């Protein structure tokens, strides 16, 4: 994990069951699904080969459901804890009976795994990532896929038993170049994940993927929650992965 002194720069019934299965299949394929209340929901990202993301245009309230009357979950932020541009992974869109369009997004922060809805106008034009990063804590290996094909794989170090690396779905929030911080190697990827226990990253717990000055500990479980890589491996990953790339830590 990064220390406060580290410096970085930016870079039912059978018939009913059948209907439900058909509905699920249509949703998985991105087909619009009409709900009884008149809201039509469609997939924006499959989180493997096509993942849409966007920057906020306003500090809008993130709501539990696609309605201005729904409970607040969070608020959009313009900057990350490292003062980089905040971005949000877009999961689904919803068009209401009142002709309002909403977008369901991932919400970085504790607790991990939160999602919510914002008006479409609260986000910029979508960018698209075709990569997907999988970090396997059992095999201690990270693999990057592009359009479904593995293009990079390397051993990693993850959190020890007392300071675990959280499992779940996350994404690349920022790309950072380290300055005068050899303990973190030459590069770091800031993610949307937050460590459940200790963290040395500024801002209180952001999980990073970064290099190390102790390559002999990789593969292994030496960290405070971050994912460590040998310097040559993080340099290669940094050159391949883009902002908004989905990450599964399993």
């Amino acid at each position: 994990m990064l220390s406060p002194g580290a410096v970085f720069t930016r870079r039912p019934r059978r018939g009913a069951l059948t209907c439900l299965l058909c509905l699920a299949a249509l949703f998985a394929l991105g087909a619009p699904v009409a709900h009884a209340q008149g809201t039509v929901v469609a997939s924006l990202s499959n989180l493997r080969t096509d993942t849409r993301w966007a920057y906020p245009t306003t500090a809008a309230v993130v709501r539990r459901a696609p309605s201005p009357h729904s409970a607040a979950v969070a608020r959009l932020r313009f900057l990350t804890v490292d003062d980089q541009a905040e971005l949000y992974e877009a999961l689904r869109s919803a068009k209401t009976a009142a002709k309002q369009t909403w977008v369901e997004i991932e919400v970085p922060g504790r607790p991990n795994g939160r999602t919510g809805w914002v008006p479409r106008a609260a986000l910029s034009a979508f960018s698209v990532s075709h990569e997907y990063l999988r970090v396997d804590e059992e095999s201690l290996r990270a693999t990057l896929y592009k359009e479904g094909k593995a293009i990079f794989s390397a051993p990693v170090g993850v959190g020890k038993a007392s300071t675990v690396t959280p499992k779940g779905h996350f994404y690349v929030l920022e790309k950072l170049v380290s300055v005068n911080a050899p303990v973190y190697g030459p590069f770091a990827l800031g993610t949307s994940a937050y460590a459940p226990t200790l963290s040395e990253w500024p801002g209180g717990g952001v999980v990073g993927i970064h290099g190390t000055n102790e390559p002999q500990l990789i593969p292994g479980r030496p960290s405070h929650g971050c994912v460590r890589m040998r310097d040559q491996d993080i340099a290669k990953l940094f050159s391949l992965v883009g902002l908004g790339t989905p990450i599964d830590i399993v």
Side-chain angles (χ1 to χ4, degrees):
M1 310 298 285
L2 298 187
S3 68
V7 179
F8 289 86
T9 61
R10 166 81 175 174
R11 274 216 51 155
R13 289 187 307 267
R14 181 182 176 87
L17 178 60
T18 300
C19 290
L20 287 173
L21 290 173
C22 290
L23 194 63
L26 285 171
F27 181 77
L29 291 172
V33 178
H35 291 250
Q37 65 270 33
T39 299
V40 177
V41 178
S43 175
L44 290 173
S45 301
N46 63 20
L47 306 180
R48 290 294 183 275
T49 59
D50 291 284
T51 301
R52 286 168 175 77
W53 59 271
Y55 296 108
T57 60
T58 182
V61 174
V62 183
R63 300 196 177 274
R64 193 175 305 279
S67 165
H69 308 296
S70 182
V73 173
R75 186 177 288 275
L76 295 181
R77 301 181 304 186
F78 291 107
L79 297 176
T80 71
V81 297
D82 300 304
D83 292 327
Q84 305 300 313
E86 183 82 280
L87 60 93
Y88 293 90
E89 191 176 73
L91 304 175
R92 297 185 293 171
S93 67
K95 192 165 189 177
T96 69
K99 307 300 182 185
Q100 296 175 319
T101 301
W102 293 74
V103 175
E104 185 183 26
I105 60 169
E106 291 271 351
V107 181
R110 289 190 173 95
N112 288 323
R114 290 184 303 162
T115 63
W117 296 83
V118 295
R120 177 65 187 90
L123 299 173
S124 67
F126 290 132
S127 296
V128 182
S129 170
H130 300 294
E131 294 87 30
Y132 160 62
L133 181 64
R134 178 183 173 90
V135 178
D136 191 320
E137 292 196 50
E138 183 174 348
S139 65
L140 295 173
R141 197 158 195 90
T143 303
L144 180 68
Y145 299 85
K146 185 177 180 66
E147 297 179 341
K149 297 181 179 180
I151 60 170
F152 170 82
S153 186
V156 297
V158 297
K160 49 187 170 236
S162 59
T163 54
V164 298
T165 300
K167 295 184 178 183
H169 174 75
F170 310 104
Y171 61 93
V172 176
L173 196 56
E174 54 194 357
K175 297 179 69 175
L176 305 166
V177 178
S178 66
V179 178
N180 299 324
V183 66
Y184 303 113
F187 302 105
L189 303 174
T191 78
S192 62
Y194 276 68
T197 51
L198 296 178
S199 172
E200 296 171 359
W201 189 295
V206 173
V207 172
I209 303 173
H210 59 74
T212 180
N213 63 347
E214 297 181 303
Q216 73 277 9
L217 300 181
I218 297 173
R221 306 180 190 279
S223 86
H224 293 118
C226 276
V227 177
R228 298 184 190 180
M229 303 182 78
R230 294 168 183 155
D231 285 358
Q232 65 270 27
D233 291 331
I234 189 62
K236 180 65 173 178
L237 179 63
F238 192 88
S239 71
L240 293 172
V241 76
L243 293 172
T245 295
I247 303 168
D248 280 342
I249 302 177
V250 300

